[in-house]
């Protein structure tokens, strides 16, 4: 996380001319992560063209839900018990 906070490209977004009028000079790019382990199948259903990925598994959604809990707990990284057990 410390390395991401030092990343110049992310800091540049905070100073982008389209960001400043909408969010103000105090805007800061922040990242958070939800880490989970499981299986998933990714693919496009019903089309030959790759338009948007569809994940046929609950595990990506679990990771997304875990990530949203960062706001509630005021954290930047949360992991599932399944991932923790593999550590």
């Amino acid at each position: 996380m410390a390395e991401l906070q030092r990343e110049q490209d992310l800091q540049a977004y905070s100073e982008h001319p389209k960001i400043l009028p909408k969010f103000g000079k105090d805007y800061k790019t922040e990242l958070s992560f939800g880490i989970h382990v499981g299986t998933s199948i990714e693919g496009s259903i019903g089309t030959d063209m790759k338009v948007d990925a569809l994940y046929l598994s609950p595990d990506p959604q679990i990771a997304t839900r875990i990530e949203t809990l960062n706001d509630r707990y005021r954290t930047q990284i949360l992991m599932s018990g399944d991932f923790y057990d593999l550590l």
Side-chain angles (χ1 to χ4, degrees):
M1 292 306 294
E3 184 65 30
L4 287 171
Q5 290 174 351
R6 287 190 294 267
E7 179 59 42
Q8 295 297 317
D9 289 341
L10 289 177
Q11 290 177 8
Y13 285 117
S14 300
E15 301 165 3
H16 193 279
K18 290 185 178 180
I19 295 287
L20 286 173
K22 187 169 185 176
F23 297 104
K25 64 179 180 177
D26 295 328
Y27 174 77
K28 185 172 121 182
T29 302
E30 295 180 355
L31 299 173
S32 61
F33 301 91
I35 304 172
H36 181 61
V37 63
T39 60
S40 69
I41 300 169
E42 181 267 331
S44 298
I45 305 297
T47 179
D48 292 335
M49 298 178 62
K50 175 97 172 143
V51 178
D52 196 8
L54 174 66
Y55 294 96
L56 303 175
S57 168
D59 294 311
Q61 184 62 30
I62 291 170
T64 300
R65 289 180 182 160
I66 291 169
E67 190 277 330
T68 61
L69 291 172
N70 281 299
D71 286 339
R72 175 181 286 173
Y73 294 113
R74 297 184 180 142
T75 57
Q76 293 177 308
I77 301 173
L78 286 173
M79 66 181 76
S80 69
D82 292 337
F83 184 82
Y84 179 83
D85 290 343
L86 288 175
L87 288 176

